């Protein structure tokens, strides 16, 4: 079972120390053998984790900084909200991250959901149906911009006269799609995703095995082998509260074909890098035998 470190919580009251904390956490992730380092693409802290006015650094600036602190970790947003950036600008942003990280960028994309953030910053928040259409067009635009085709793109929501992207990524960034909506999200994952992610906190209510089966059905409908899509889960329970129970959960995921869990310092943790190092010491050896 592989591990990705997901960083979502910047410490209040120490703005000058944020860079050192983020760098130390990313380096610790690499030292323990994690394979990915991801961040949330938000501008306000998510209210499930803390007050909206808690510190929160912009995602792609932060990932570029992390790229300079690490050598091996795959880097990406889990996931980018489709409403936050025009697709052509987003394609350029991810391409720059890939070039500067020497081919380590991932491209996570979702429909966005944080309405308070949109209203607060003046970002349009179209109806969900439109956001799904925007998401698919964004995927198509990014794939075109990262290819040899620099011609026009004409869609319902976006029209680009030229899709020049120089430099292009060193290799096409893997596409990550998260969520469990059976009619739209999983259909998009079947068509476009290299990686599908589901948040472990909702699994008890929506049935992970069922979602994987539905993803397989969407793949079958377009003639794609579902094994081509890596399946990952966000597991943000405290592993040290009951390690045996935590490992039983991971074993269940592994039995369903999950081969990576995203974990991270819990909100308010005073030492994010220390959390990662402890995870490496106490949990990683047990995970090495799973999956």
């Amino acid at each position: 079972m592989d591990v990705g470190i997901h960083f979502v919580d910047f410490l209040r009251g120490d703005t000058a120390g944020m860079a050192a904390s983020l760098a130390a956490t990313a380096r610790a992730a690499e030292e323990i053998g994690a394979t990915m380092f991801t961040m949330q693409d938000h501008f306000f802290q998510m209210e499930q984790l803390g007050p909206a006015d808690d510190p929160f650094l912009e995602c792609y600036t932060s990932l570029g900084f992390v790229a300079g602190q690490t050598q091996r970790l795959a880097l990406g947003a889990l996931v980018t909200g489709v409403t936050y950036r025009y697709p052509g600008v987003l394609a350029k942003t991810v391409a720059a991250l890939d070039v500067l990280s020497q081919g380590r960028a991932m491209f996570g994309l979702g429909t966005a959901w944080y309405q308070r953030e949109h209203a607060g910053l003046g970002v349009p928040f179209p109806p969900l149906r439109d956001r799904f259409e925007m998401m698919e067009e964004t995927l198509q635009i990014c794939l075109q911009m990262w290819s040899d085709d620099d011609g026009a793109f004409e869609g319902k929501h976006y029209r680009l006269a030229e899709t020049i992207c120089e430099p292009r990524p060193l290799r096409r960034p893997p596409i990550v799609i998260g969520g469990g909506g059976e009619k739209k999200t999983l259909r998009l994952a079947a068509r476009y995703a290299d990686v599908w992610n589901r948040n472990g906190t909702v699994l008890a209510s929506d049935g992970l095995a069922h979602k994987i089966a539905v993803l397989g059905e969407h793949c079958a409908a377009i003639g794609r082998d579902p094994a081509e899509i890596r399946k990952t889960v966000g597991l943000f329970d405290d592993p040290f509260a009951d390690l045996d129970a935590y490992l039983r959960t991971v074993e269940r995921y592994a039995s369903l074909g999950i081969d990576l869990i995203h974990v991270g310092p819990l909100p308010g943790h005073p030492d994010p890098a220390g959390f990662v190092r402890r995870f490496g010491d106490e949990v990683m050896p047990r995970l090495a035998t799973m999956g």
Side-chain angles (χ1 to χ4, degrees), residues 166-210:
E166 292 295 342
R168 290 199 294 270
L170 296 183
R171 54 82 174 106
R172 200 266 288 163
I175 293 171
V176 183
I177 292 178
E182 297 180 13
K183 294 182 179 179
K184 294 185 178 180
T185 302
L186 292 177
R187 179 187 64 80
L188 288 173
R191 183 168 296 278
Y192 295 102
D194 302 291
V195 181
W196 172 68
N197 182 70
R198 192 70 179 123
N199 187 346
T201 60
V202 300
L203 298 181
S205 62
D206 73 0
L208 180 59
H210 174 68

Side-chain angles (χ1 to χ4, degrees), residues 52-74:
D53 61 354
D54 268 3
F56 213 93
L57 293 177
E58 192 277 326
C59 176
Y60 285 102
T61 306
S62 301
L63 288 169
F65 172 76
V66 170
Q69 305 291 322
T70 57
Q71 299 294 323
R72 299 181 302 277
L73 291 167

Side-chain angles (χ1 to χ4, degrees), residues 9-77:
D9 190 41
F10 298 93
L11 302 181
R12 177 182 282 277
D14 187 20
T15 301
M18 285 181 184
S21 175
L22 178 58
T25 306
R27 288 195 294 264
E30 198 157 75
E31 289 164 6
I32 71 168
T35 59
M36 318 183 167
F37 189 90
T38 56
M39 301 181 74
Q40 288 281 1
D41 187 21
H42 286 295
F43 305 97
F44 295 174
Q45 175 60 280
M46 295 164 287
E47 292 169 300
Q48 303 96 316
L49 301 182
D53 61 354
D54 268 3
F56 213 93
L57 293 177
E58 192 277 326
C59 176
Y60 285 102
T61 306
S62 301
L63 288 169
F65 172 76
V66 170
Q69 305 291 322
T70 57
Q71 299 294 323
R72 299 181 302 277
L73 291 167
L75 304 171

Side-chain angles (χ1 to χ4, degrees), residues 144 148-153 160-164:
Q144 181 170 325
D148 293 333
D149 181 359
D150 60 3
F153 177 90
L160 287 71
E162 298 179 277
T163 51
I164 296 170

